Amino acid sequence: MEIRVRGNQLEEIEGLYADYPYVYHHADLKVTDIPWHWHEELEFDYVVSGKVKLVTANKSCEFGKNEAFFINSNVLCTMENVNGSEPAVLDSHLFHPIFLGGHFKSRFSTKYLDPVLQNKNLDILEIRGGTGRQREILTKLKQAAYMQKTEDTEFQTRNIFSDIWLLILEEIKEVESRQMPVKQISQDRIQTMMSFIQQNYQNKVSLADIALSAAVSKRECLRCFQQCISTTPYEYLMDYRTEMAARLLKTTDAPVTWVAEQTGFSNSAYFGKIFKKAKGLTPGEYRKKNTQRPGK
């Protein structure tokens, strides 16, 4: 499983189609890289083994085996395997709101889905099994994953997530009063600035350019990056350039100097230094290890 994101960090979800807007992924975070991203779809993740670290623009949480979490629509997040633990494996369920809501402005959507989708104070919901209701949600998530091993389970899958959704609505009512307000302005700004970097990484990009994209000062730009994703705009730019270079190294036979130029690095020597620091391999070594050949 590979997580693909567009230029604005909007994830392109593999296997999700208009005629059945639900998909199940069994993901091993040791081999699946999950970058910063967001998507319109709703997401439930159940930890099958290991420990996973979930990071949003507002919080960081760790989840262990037999725990789960819900990620609301359009929430900026990333996930990673917790160092020192066994490989984190997730059962991941993603679906467009229309999967449960039916047509636009239906009673299902306006009465049951919109209150969650439009709740700016709810980015994630922790499901650790501390209550009877949470344990019921965990049981149903396991049932939903098992159900995907057989064919012709579309109706059953939608039914089980309708049941889960009603339980989630009850859970939200209890935890809402205890949650701190989400810094929505900061998340909106960081998404705008990250999108700008995605669209302009091949060119010279300054701190002033990034700040201007969100109509903020350079100081506020630095604060926003540090507060939301614990890095600097420059570090994020270098990380993204490196990931784009890695993709070109795997999928083309172009010279390393060309890859460096295409991904915004000033020269191949500097590119080699940054790439090895990030990947532990030189660009040439990385290509030999990861080259994707047609038909393989």
Side-chain angles (χ1 to χ4, degrees), residues 33-265:
D33 181 41
I34 301 183
W36 283 99
H37 69 284
W38 63 84
H39 46 68
E40 186 179 0
E41 288 71 21
L42 301 158
E43 180 171 353
F44 285 90
D45 292 285
Y46 182 95
V47 183
V48 177
S49 64
K51 288 186 177 180
V52 59
K53 182 179 181 181
L54 170 66
V55 185
T56 71
N58 305 290
K59 66 180 71 174
S60 174
C61 302
E62 290 187 7
F63 297 87
K65 183 178 179 180
N66 297 327
E67 295 182 330
F69 49 90
F70 164 73
I71 305 175
N72 206 353
S73 177
N74 294 317
V75 171
L76 177 66
C77 67
T78 183
M79 300 178 209
E80 61 184 37
N81 194 79
V82 175
N83 291 332
S85 70
E86 63 177 305
V89 177
L90 299 176
D91 281 335
S92 184
H93 307 267
L94 300 100
F95 55 88
H96 192 277
I98 201 171
F99 180 61
L100 297 183
H103 62 80
F104 180 65
K105 291 298 182 181
S106 71
R107 183 174 298 184
F108 298 105
S109 291
T110 57
K111 186 176 181 179
Y112 299 100
L113 291 169
D114 287 354
V116 176
L117 300 177
Q118 297 170 10
N119 187 345
K120 298 303 183 181
N121 290 329
L122 178 67
D123 51 0
I124 68 170
L125 185 65
E126 302 174 31
I127 309 168
R128 301 187 184 274
T131 66
R133 181 167 50 241
Q134 288 194 6
R135 289 191 289 272
E136 187 175 356
I137 294 171
L138 293 172
T139 297
K140 288 183 178 296
L141 287 173
K142 290 174 66 176
Q143 291 173 348
Y146 182 78
M147 198 177 290
Q148 306 316 307
K149 297 178 181 179
T150 58
E151 297 182 352
D152 303 322
T153 59
E154 291 87 353
F155 262 119
Q156 295 96 316
T157 298
R158 188 176 66 177
N159 288 342
I160 203 168
F161 276 100
S162 295
D163 291 340
I164 290 172
W165 195 257
L166 292 175
L167 293 168
I168 286 293
L169 291 175
E170 295 176 10
E171 189 70 18
I172 290 171
K173 288 179 182 178
E174 286 196 8
V175 303
E176 248 182 350
S177 60
R178 304 195 300 268
Q179 289 183 332
M180 295 295 290
V182 172
K183 300 177 179 65
Q184 185 63 33
I185 293 177
S186 292
Q187 176 169 311
D188 291 344
R189 286 173 174 172
I190 193 72
Q191 287 178 299
T192 297
M193 291 186 284
M194 289 170 70
S195 294
F196 175 81
I197 289 173
Q198 301 300 314
Q199 295 165 13
N200 295 277
Y201 73 95
Q202 295 171 303
N203 308 314
K204 289 184 177 180
V205 178
S206 68
L207 176 62
D209 295 331
I210 298 170
L212 183 61
S213 71
V216 298
S217 67
K218 291 188 287 186
R219 181 176 179 179
E220 174 62 15
C221 172
L222 289 167
R223 185 202 66 79
C224 194
F225 268 84
Q226 192 61 49
Q227 181 187 64
C228 292
I229 61 174
S230 301
T231 190
T232 67
Y234 175 78
E235 289 169 340
Y236 181 78
L237 172 62
M238 289 298 104
D239 287 346
Y240 187 74
R241 283 175 170 168
T242 300
E243 290 305 315
M244 293 301 100
R247 185 175 297 180
L248 289 175
L249 289 169
K250 287 194 296 184
T251 58
T252 74
D253 293 322
V256 171
T257 53
W258 181 87
V259 172
E261 292 173 358
Q262 291 299 307
T263 51
F265 289 97

